[in-house]
Amino acid sequence: MLLTSVKFDLRIFKILGFFPALCFLCKKYVIVLLNLLKKPGTFRYRNIRYTSYGVSDIGTMQTGLVDLYDFFVASHLLQKQDPVVLDIGANIGQFANAFKVLFPGAEIHSFEPDPDTLAKLRSNTEIAGNVRLYNKGLGSERATRDFYRQKTGHSMSSFNREFVQGMNMDTDDVIRLEIDTLDNLTRDIRRIDVLKIDTEGYELEVLKGASQTLKKTTFLLVEVNLGRPQGFTNLELFASIHAAAPGACLLKVGRNPYEPLEFARDFLFRIR
């Protein structure tokens, strides 16, 4: 774990340059210290202000920054200065802030169903600029569903009960939330450069309600569960992508440095 963390720190120097990276990492470790003391810490860098409530919050934002750099910058796949991005499963803004560091002019639409988590997301994206928030869950149809909250954090909450049980999480903290389809909520968005979906085992249901959205999407970045209890839906997930975009192709498979290979990976597809 420590070696992996050091490797990610060294990557920041390549991405940001020496002095900006030094500034970034010094601030990061102040936040880590505060989080270890069970205190929130606010990280300020360029156009972002991001409060981390646990070590995993700042760690996920940093690893997201490295992964996004590899996916879109180093590969030269995304050369627009103002890409339109949909962030499905926005949580407290880890992905949105990492994306804003690399693409300050991005237009980001962030979807987060939990109203408590949304309040943290709003605070964490307040000064980033051009980030629109939606307090809405997404699925295959308009309905009301049970949402299982992670008691010791917020990043693993899900509409998928099997996922929550498979991760040995307490399922007592449940709230009822409205969900809608992505197709219904993105009718006015003409183009989507990046569609990111990370909904903790509910990705297939989101895609089932996003067939029209995929037709105007260039890149799809979706978390695929390889060895978790709901992993049997992987082929259904790929079939859903193929049905909506027959010409889609898999470009890259990412990795999560803190979990074994059999867990989850981000899959990057070119849709059109």
Side-chain angles (χ1 to χ4, degrees), residues 1-179:
M1 181 78 74
L2 178 60
L3 180 59
T4 301
S5 180
V6 171
K7 287 181 179 179
F8 268 77
D9 287 346
L10 292 176
R11 290 295 311 282
I12 295 296
F13 284 96
K14 180 178 180 180
I15 295 169
L16 300 180
F18 182 81
F19 287 109
L22 190 62
C23 175
F24 182 100
L25 293 172
C26 287
K27 292 179 178 181
K28 168 199 165 179
Y29 281 105
V30 170
I31 301 304
V32 168
L33 179 60
L34 288 170
N35 289 167
L36 288 173
L37 295 172
K38 301 190 182 302
K39 297 179 180 180
T42 300
F43 178 91
R44 292 178 175 85
Y45 181 79
R46 291 181 180 172
N47 59 321
I48 68 170
R49 184 182 65 214
Y50 174 79
T51 298
S52 173
Y53 299 88
V55 173
S56 64
D57 292 340
I58 191 67
T60 303
M61 198 269 281
Q62 181 185 351
T63 57
L65 175 59
V66 173
D67 288 342
L68 289 172
Y69 178 85
D70 288 342
F71 279 135
F72 296 115
V73 180
S75 64
H76 305 290
L77 283 177
L78 191 59
Q79 299 189 40
K80 295 178 180 178
Q81 297 302 309
D82 58 346
V84 178
V85 181
L86 267 59
D87 179 11
I88 315 302
N91 202 249
I92 65 169
Q94 298 95 321
F95 176 89
N97 279 289
F99 209 97
K100 277 289 185 177
V101 170
L102 297 173
F103 299 92
E107 173 187 325
I108 300 180
H109 300 259
S110 293
F111 294 77
E112 172 52 47
D114 190 322
D116 292 346
T117 304
L118 183 83
K120 296 175 180 178
L121 172 64
R122 179 173 289 109
S123 175
N124 279 345
T125 56
E126 190 173 22
I127 70 168
N130 210 12
V131 178
R132 182 177 177 184
L133 307 183
Y134 302 76
N135 189 196
K136 185 70 70 172
L138 295 168
S140 59
E141 61 182 353
R142 185 175 293 166
T144 303
R145 294 280 185 269
D146 287 337
F147 185 74
Y148 301 90
R149 282 171 153 172
Q150 181 185 11
K151 284 189 174 181
T152 57
H154 37 72
S155 63
M156 304 294 282
S157 300
S158 177
F159 285 105
N160 187 330
R161 182 181 177 87
E162 287 74 23
F163 171 86
V164 173
Q165 291 176 329
M167 297 300 292
N168 296 316
M169 289 163 49
D170 194 334
T171 59
D172 290 340
D173 191 1
V174 182
I175 57 175
R176 296 284 286 176
L177 295 175
E178 292 183 357
I179 64 171

Side-chain angles (χ1 to χ4, degrees), residues 176-193:
R176 296 284 286 176
L177 295 175
E178 292 183 357
I179 64 171
D180 205 339
T181 68
L182 196 54
D183 285 345
N184 285 340
L185 297 175
T186 61
R187 288 173 180 166
D188 295 333
I189 302 176
R190 292 187 176 184
R191 69 172 171 90
I192 300 163
D193 296 299

